Tab-separated table of all heavy atoms in Angstrom:
chain	number	residue	atom	x	y	z
N	1	GLY	N	8.546	-5.830	15.201
N	1	GLY	CA	7.614	-6.790	14.620
N	1	GLY	C	8.157	-8.189	14.802
N	1	GLY	O	9.207	-8.386	15.412
N	2	THR	N	7.438	-9.141	14.260
N	2	THR	CA	7.899	-10.543	14.307
N	2	THR	C	9.099	-10.701	13.396
N	2	THR	O	9.358	-9.847	12.536
N	2	THR	CB	6.789	-11.492	13.891
N	2	THR	OG1	6.515	-11.275	12.487
N	2	THR	CG2	5.507	-11.307	14.722
N	3	ASP	N	9.799	-11.804	13.531
N	3	ASP	CA	10.926	-12.079	12.633
N	3	ASP	C	10.451	-12.113	11.177
N	3	ASP	O	11.138	-11.597	10.289
N	3	ASP	CB	11.596	-13.408	13.001
N	3	ASP	CG	12.389	-13.323	14.294
N	3	ASP	OD1	12.676	-12.197	14.743
N	3	ASP	OD2	12.709	-14.387	14.849
N	4	PHE	N	9.294	-12.726	10.921
N	4	PHE	CA	8.770	-12.784	9.559
N	4	PHE	C	8.465	-11.383	9.027
N	4	PHE	O	8.829	-11.044	7.907
N	4	PHE	CB	7.501	-13.666	9.497
N	4	PHE	CG	6.906	-13.751	8.121
N	4	PHE	CD1	7.502	-14.514	7.148
N	4	PHE	CD2	5.753	-13.040	7.800
N	4	PHE	CE1	6.956	-14.597	5.863
N	4	PHE	CE2	5.220	-13.094	6.522
N	4	PHE	CZ	5.809	-13.891	5.558
N	5	GLN	N	7.790	-10.577	9.844
N	5	GLN	CA	7.478	-9.205	9.401
N	5	GLN	C	8.765	-8.419	9.088
N	5	GLN	O	8.839	-7.758	8.057
N	5	GLN	CB	6.695	-8.452	10.500
N	5	GLN	CG	5.278	-8.913	10.647
N	5	GLN	CD	4.614	-8.330	11.861
N	5	GLN	OE1	5.258	-8.052	12.891
N	5	GLN	NE2	3.290	-8.139	11.781
N	6	LYS	N	9.757	-8.541	9.940
N	6	LYS	CA	11.012	-7.840	9.700
N	6	LYS	C	11.673	-8.318	8.423
N	6	LYS	O	12.251	-7.498	7.699
N	6	LYS	CB	11.956	-8.018	10.894
N	6	LYS	CG	11.524	-7.264	12.135
N	6	LYS	CD	12.463	-7.516	13.304
N	6	LYS	CE	12.009	-6.821	14.543
N	6	LYS	NZ	12.914	-7.105	15.665
N	7	ARG	N	11.600	-9.611	8.139
N	7	ARG	CA	12.157	-10.137	6.895
N	7	ARG	C	11.410	-9.565	5.674
N	7	ARG	O	12.010	-9.168	4.683
N	7	ARG	CB	12.118	-11.659	6.905
N	7	ARG	CG	12.918	-12.331	5.827
N	7	ARG	CD	13.149	-13.815	6.049
N	7	ARG	NE	11.958	-14.580	6.316
N	7	ARG	CZ	11.642	-15.164	7.476
N	7	ARG	NH1	12.441	-15.017	8.519
N	7	ARG	NH2	10.525	-15.859	7.625
N	8	VAL	N	10.106	-9.511	5.765
N	8	VAL	CA	9.293	-8.927	4.678
N	8	VAL	C	9.648	-7.461	4.501
N	8	VAL	O	9.869	-6.987	3.398
N	8	VAL	CB	7.780	-9.119	4.969
N	8	VAL	CG1	6.945	-8.285	3.989
N	8	VAL	CG2	7.383	-10.575	4.904
N	9	TRP	N	9.736	-6.709	5.585
N	9	TRP	CA	10.027	-5.279	5.495
N	9	TRP	C	11.425	-5.028	4.926
N	9	TRP	O	11.643	-4.099	4.147
N	9	TRP	CB	9.871	-4.615	6.853
N	9	TRP	CG	8.451	-4.703	7.406
N	9	TRP	CD1	7.300	-4.848	6.682
N	9	TRP	CD2	8.072	-4.716	8.761
N	9	TRP	NE1	6.212	-4.934	7.537
N	9	TRP	CE2	6.662	-4.844	8.827
N	9	TRP	CE3	8.771	-4.635	9.964
N	9	TRP	CZ2	5.951	-4.881	10.020
N	9	TRP	CZ3	8.071	-4.649	11.166
N	9	TRP	CH2	6.671	-4.798	11.172
N	10	LEU	N	12.397	-5.891	5.281
N	10	LEU	CA	13.728	-5.788	4.734
N	10	LEU	C	13.683	-6.009	3.220
N	10	LEU	O	14.302	-5.267	2.452
N	10	LEU	CB	14.672	-6.800	5.381
N	10	LEU	CG	16.088	-6.859	4.830
N	10	LEU	CD1	16.833	-5.553	5.108
N	10	LEU	CD2	16.851	-8.038	5.439
N	11	ASN	N	12.888	-6.992	2.781
N	11	ASN	CA	12.776	-7.257	1.351
N	11	ASN	C	12.034	-6.156	0.625
N	11	ASN	O	12.312	-5.862	-0.544
N	11	ASN	CB	12.155	-8.633	1.103
N	11	ASN	CG	13.132	-9.737	1.443
N	11	ASN	OD1	14.305	-9.661	1.121
N	11	ASN	ND2	12.663	-10.775	2.093
N	12	LEU	N	11.063	-5.520	1.278
N	12	LEU	CA	10.397	-4.382	0.679
N	12	LEU	C	11.401	-3.276	0.355
N	12	LEU	O	11.337	-2.621	-0.685
N	12	LEU	CB	9.341	-3.789	1.638
N	12	LEU	CG	8.048	-4.555	1.794
N	12	LEU	CD1	7.234	-3.945	2.946
N	12	LEU	CD2	7.253	-4.559	0.512
N	13	SER	N	12.359	-3.109	1.250
N	13	SER	CA	13.373	-2.053	1.084
N	13	SER	C	14.294	-2.314	-0.123
N	13	SER	O	14.965	-1.415	-0.577
N	13	SER	CB	14.216	-1.936	2.348
N	13	SER	OG	13.400	-1.538	3.425
N	14	LYS	N	14.273	-3.522	-0.610
N	14	LYS	CA	15.109	-3.902	-1.765
N	14	LYS	C	14.436	-3.645	-3.122
N	14	LYS	O	15.061	-3.763	-4.156
N	14	LYS	CB	15.526	-5.365	-1.666
N	14	LYS	CG	16.391	-5.662	-0.466
N	14	LYS	CD	16.678	-7.164	-0.367
N	14	LYS	CE	17.483	-7.448	0.884
N	14	LYS	NZ	17.713	-8.910	1.041
N	15	ILE	N	13.147	-3.329	-3.104
N	15	ILE	CA	12.420	-3.070	-4.343
N	15	ILE	C	12.859	-1.704	-4.867
N	15	ILE	O	12.687	-0.701	-4.194
N	15	ILE	CB	10.887	-3.073	-4.151
N	15	ILE	CG1	10.428	-4.384	-3.493
N	15	ILE	CG2	10.183	-2.896	-5.489
N	15	ILE	CD1	8.991	-4.361	-3.029
N	16	PRO	N	13.421	-1.676	-6.087
N	16	PRO	CA	13.923	-0.390	-6.597
N	16	PRO	C	12.833	0.646	-6.815
N	16	PRO	O	11.681	0.309	-7.120
N	16	PRO	CB	14.567	-0.797	-7.942
N	16	PRO	CG	14.837	-2.246	-7.841
N	16	PRO	CD	13.733	-2.783	-6.961
N	17	TYR	N	13.209	1.880	-6.666
N	17	TYR	CA	12.359	3.039	-6.937
N	17	TYR	C	11.734	2.906	-8.316
N	17	TYR	O	12.416	2.590	-9.287
N	17	TYR	CB	13.211	4.300	-6.856
N	17	TYR	CG	12.476	5.606	-7.081
N	17	TYR	CD1	11.961	6.308	-6.010
N	17	TYR	CD2	12.327	6.152	-8.346
N	17	TYR	CE1	11.331	7.537	-6.181
N	17	TYR	CE2	11.694	7.363	-8.530
N	17	TYR	CZ	11.171	8.051	-7.452
N	17	TYR	OH	10.537	9.251	-7.642
N	18	GLY	N	10.433	3.110	-8.407
N	18	GLY	CA	9.755	3.083	-9.691
N	18	GLY	C	9.409	1.693	-10.190
N	18	GLY	O	8.844	1.554	-11.276
N	19	GLU	N	9.727	0.652	-9.441
N	19	GLU	CA	9.423	-0.704	-9.857
N	19	GLU	C	8.417	-1.328	-8.897
N	19	GLU	O	8.221	-0.865	-7.785
N	19	GLU	CB	10.702	-1.548	-9.881
N	19	GLU	CG	11.680	-1.095	-10.944
N	19	GLU	CD	12.908	-2.012	-11.048
N	19	GLU	OE1	12.829	-3.179	-10.625
N	19	GLU	OE2	13.920	-1.531	-11.547
N	20	THR	N	7.776	-2.400	-9.350
N	20	THR	CA	6.813	-3.114	-8.517
N	20	THR	C	7.125	-4.618	-8.589
N	20	THR	O	7.762	-5.090	-9.526
N	20	THR	CB	5.370	-2.903	-8.981
N	20	THR	OG1	5.220	-3.302	-10.345
N	20	THR	CG2	4.950	-1.448	-8.847
N	21	ILE	N	6.690	-5.307	-7.569
N	21	ILE	CA	6.718	-6.766	-7.558
N	21	ILE	C	5.373	-7.254	-7.001
N	21	ILE	O	4.619	-6.477	-6.408
N	21	ILE	CB	7.871	-7.334	-6.701
N	21	ILE	CG1	7.708	-6.998	-5.229
N	21	ILE	CG2	9.231	-6.863	-7.246
N	21	ILE	CD1	8.697	-7.745	-4.312
N	22	SER	N	5.074	-8.526	-7.187
N	22	SER	CA	3.829	-9.083	-6.678
N	22	SER	C	4.005	-9.592	-5.260
N	22	SER	O	5.127	-9.785	-4.782
N	22	SER	CB	3.379	-10.241	-7.578
N	22	SER	OG	4.260	-11.358	-7.429
N	23	TYR	N	2.887	-9.803	-4.594
N	23	TYR	CA	2.932	-10.378	-3.265
N	23	TYR	C	3.583	-11.746	-3.311
N	23	TYR	O	4.338	-12.110	-2.394
N	23	TYR	CB	1.510	-10.473	-2.681
N	23	TYR	CG	0.928	-9.139	-2.317
N	23	TYR	CD1	0.104	-8.458	-3.206
N	23	TYR	CD2	1.200	-8.548	-1.081
N	23	TYR	CE1	-0.409	-7.216	-2.882
N	23	TYR	CE2	0.670	-7.307	-0.744
N	23	TYR	CZ	-0.143	-6.649	-1.656
N	23	TYR	OH	-0.657	-5.418	-1.334
N	24	LYS	N	3.322	-12.496	-4.371
N	24	LYS	CA	3.932	-13.822	-4.511
N	24	LYS	C	5.459	-13.704	-4.610
N	24	LYS	O	6.175	-14.469	-3.979
N	24	LYS	CB	3.385	-14.525	-5.759
N	24	LYS	CG	3.948	-15.898	-5.946
N	24	LYS	CD	3.370	-16.590	-7.166
N	24	LYS	CE	3.993	-17.984	-7.286
N	24	LYS	NZ	3.541	-18.688	-8.457
N	25	GLN	N	5.942	-12.747	-5.401
N	25	GLN	CA	7.388	-12.540	-5.521
N	25	GLN	C	7.990	-12.142	-4.171
N	25	GLN	O	9.073	-12.610	-3.815
N	25	GLN	CB	7.707	-11.481	-6.562
N	25	GLN	CG	7.439	-11.907	-7.998
N	25	GLN	CD	7.558	-10.734	-8.954
N	25	GLN	OE1	6.840	-9.757	-8.840
N	25	GLN	NE2	8.487	-10.864	-9.897
N	26	LEU	N	7.282	-11.309	-3.434
N	26	LEU	CA	7.771	-10.869	-2.127
N	26	LEU	C	7.774	-12.079	-1.158
N	26	LEU	O	8.729	-12.220	-0.373
N	26	LEU	CB	6.902	-9.751	-1.575
N	26	LEU	CG	7.349	-9.140	-0.238
N	26	LEU	CD1	8.785	-8.631	-0.282
N	26	LEU	CD2	6.389	-8.006	0.153
N	27	ALA	N	6.791	-12.954	-1.252
N	27	ALA	CA	6.772	-14.159	-0.431
N	27	ALA	C	7.978	-15.036	-0.748
N	27	ALA	O	8.630	-15.569	0.155
N	27	ALA	CB	5.456	-14.917	-0.633
N	28	GLU	N	8.278	-15.169	-2.036
N	28	GLU	CA	9.443	-15.956	-2.453
N	28	GLU	C	10.736	-15.335	-1.920
N	28	GLU	O	11.611	-16.044	-1.384
N	28	GLU	CB	9.490	-16.082	-3.977
N	28	GLU	CG	8.381	-16.943	-4.538
N	28	GLU	CD	8.217	-16.851	-6.042
N	28	GLU	OE1	8.878	-16.005	-6.683
N	28	GLU	OE2	7.376	-17.602	-6.568
N	29	MET	N	10.860	-14.013	-2.026
N	29	MET	CA	12.036	-13.314	-1.497
N	29	MET	C	12.174	-13.505	0.011
N	29	MET	O	13.289	-13.532	0.530
N	29	MET	CB	11.954	-11.809	-1.792
N	29	MET	CG	12.128	-11.417	-3.230
N	29	MET	SD	11.770	-9.648	-3.496
N	29	MET	CE	13.011	-8.843	-2.521
N	30	SER	N	11.031	-13.645	0.664
N	30	SER	CA	11.022	-13.732	2.126
N	30	SER	C	11.161	-15.158	2.617
N	30	SER	O	11.074	-15.444	3.821
N	30	SER	CB	9.742	-13.114	2.686
N	30	SER	OG	9.671	-11.739	2.306
N	31	GLY	N	11.391	-16.096	1.696
N	31	GLY	CA	11.678	-17.496	2.071
N	31	GLY	C	10.485	-18.403	2.207
N	31	GLY	O	10.637	-19.544	2.634
N	32	ASN	N	9.290	-17.933	1.857
N	32	ASN	CA	8.115	-18.797	1.943
N	32	ASN	C	7.197	-18.517	0.771
N	32	ASN	O	6.284	-17.702	0.854
N	32	ASN	CB	7.405	-18.577	3.275
N	32	ASN	CG	6.370	-19.628	3.569
N	32	ASN	OD1	5.919	-20.331	2.675
N	32	ASN	ND2	5.967	-19.741	4.819
N	33	PRO	N	7.400	-19.203	-0.360
N	33	PRO	CA	6.664	-18.951	-1.600
N	33	PRO	C	5.134	-19.038	-1.470
N	33	PRO	O	4.410	-18.460	-2.260
N	33	PRO	CB	7.172	-19.983	-2.580
N	33	PRO	CG	8.427	-20.511	-2.003
N	33	PRO	CD	8.362	-20.286	-0.521
N	34	LYS	N	4.647	-19.774	-0.466
N	34	LYS	CA	3.208	-19.937	-0.309
N	34	LYS	C	2.595	-18.963	0.669
N	34	LYS	O	1.437	-19.069	1.038
N	34	LYS	CB	2.897	-21.375	0.091
N	34	LYS	CG	3.332	-22.367	-0.974
N	34	LYS	CD	2.954	-23.772	-0.629
N	34	LYS	CE	3.512	-24.668	-1.696
N	34	LYS	NZ	2.706	-25.802	-2.017
N	35	ALA	N	3.383	-17.995	1.111
N	35	ALA	CA	2.917	-17.072	2.149
N	35	ALA	C	2.450	-15.725	1.622
N	35	ALA	O	2.599	-14.708	2.305
N	35	ALA	CB	4.043	-16.889	3.175
N	36	SER	N	1.869	-15.672	0.429
N	36	SER	CA	1.430	-14.409	-0.125
N	36	SER	C	0.464	-13.675	0.810
N	36	SER	O	0.549	-12.452	0.980
N	36	SER	CB	0.738	-14.629	-1.474
N	36	SER	OG	1.660	-15.128	-2.407
N	37	ARG	N	-0.430	-14.393	1.421
N	37	ARG	CA	-1.408	-13.773	2.324
N	37	ARG	C	-0.707	-13.210	3.566
N	37	ARG	O	-0.999	-12.092	3.993
N	37	ARG	CB	-2.474	-14.797	2.709
N	37	ARG	CG	-3.753	-14.189	3.165
N	37	ARG	CD	-4.787	-15.271	3.373
N	37	ARG	NE	-5.291	-15.765	2.099
N	37	ARG	CZ	-6.520	-15.569	1.661
N	37	ARG	NH1	-7.360	-14.892	2.378
N	37	ARG	NH2	-6.911	-16.057	0.491
N	38	ALA	N	0.229	-13.978	4.118
N	38	ALA	CA	0.985	-13.517	5.295
N	38	ALA	C	1.834	-12.301	4.935
N	38	ALA	O	1.981	-11.389	5.755
N	38	ALA	CB	1.836	-14.651	5.840
N	39	VAL	N	2.381	-12.293	3.732
N	39	VAL	CA	3.150	-11.139	3.260
N	39	VAL	C	2.265	-9.912	3.187
N	39	VAL	O	2.657	-8.807	3.589
N	39	VAL	CB	3.818	-11.453	1.899
N	39	VAL	CG1	4.221	-10.196	1.173
N	39	VAL	CG2	5.004	-12.368	2.086
N	40	GLY	N	1.037	-10.097	2.697
N	40	GLY	CA	0.083	-8.990	2.636
N	40	GLY	C	-0.220	-8.440	4.035
N	40	GLY	O	-0.294	-7.216	4.216
N	41	LEU	N	-0.358	-9.324	4.995
N	41	LEU	CA	-0.617	-8.878	6.376
N	41	LEU	C	0.597	-8.139	6.945
N	41	LEU	O	0.435	-7.119	7.625
N	41	LEU	CB	-0.980	-10.082	7.262
N	41	LEU	CG	-2.345	-10.724	6.955
N	41	LEU	CD1	-2.505	-12.018	7.760
N	41	LEU	CD2	-3.459	-9.776	7.247
N	42	ALA	N	1.798	-8.643	6.664
N	42	ALA	CA	3.001	-7.972	7.119
N	42	ALA	C	3.101	-6.590	6.451
N	42	ALA	O	3.489	-5.605	7.101
N	42	ALA	CB	4.238	-8.813	6.794
N	43	ASN	N	2.768	-6.517	5.168
N	43	ASN	CA	2.773	-5.235	4.460
N	43	ASN	C	1.850	-4.247	5.158
N	43	ASN	O	2.209	-3.102	5.360
N	43	ASN	CB	2.264	-5.452	3.020
N	43	ASN	CG	3.278	-5.127	1.978
N	43	ASN	OD1	4.443	-5.038	2.241
N	43	ASN	ND2	2.795	-5.017	0.762
N	44	ASN	N	0.687	-4.706	5.524
N	44	ASN	CA	-0.315	-3.857	6.182
N	44	ASN	C	0.198	-3.350	7.540
N	44	ASN	O	-0.191	-2.275	7.975
N	44	ASN	CB	-1.621	-4.647	6.369
N	44	ASN	CG	-2.719	-3.801	6.910
N	44	ASN	OD1	-2.630	-3.298	8.023
N	44	ASN	ND2	-3.781	-3.678	6.154
N	45	LYS	N	1.061	-4.093	8.181
N	45	LYS	CA	1.577	-3.713	9.509
N	45	LYS	C	2.854	-2.897	9.412
N	45	LYS	O	3.434	-2.529	10.439
N	45	LYS	CB	1.860	-4.967	10.345
N	45	LYS	CG	0.638	-5.815	10.604
N	45	LYS	CD	-0.291	-5.152	11.570
N	45	LYS	CE	-1.457	-6.065	11.909
N	45	LYS	NZ	-2.505	-5.379	12.616
C-alpha cells in the first residue's frame, strides 16, 4: 500500500484486543489529525 496506508495499518495493529478508537484518534496516531476520511479509506483497503 501507500506509505500513509501502511502507517494507518501499523497503528491499527496497536489497538488492544477488546478496545476501540475513533477514526479521528487513528488519524492523530497516524500523524495527520485532520485525515479522518483518509484513515477511513485506508481502513477500507
Side-chain angles (χ1 to χ4, degrees):
T2 67
D3 289 342
F4 179 75
Q5 288 171 329
K6 289 178 183 179
R7 192 166 52 249
V8 169
W9 299 333
L10 176 66
N11 287 319
L12 285 171
S13 297
K14 296 176 183 176
I15 305 169
Y17 181 92
E19 294 185 22
T20 58
I21 65 170
S22 69
Y23 289 95
K24 181 179 180 183
Q25 289 171 300
L26 183 56
E28 290 167 354
M29 289 171 63
S30 300
N32 193 341
K34 297 185 184 214
S36 296
R37 202 173 285 249
V39 161
L41 291 172
N43 243 16
N44 186 298
K45 299 289 184 192

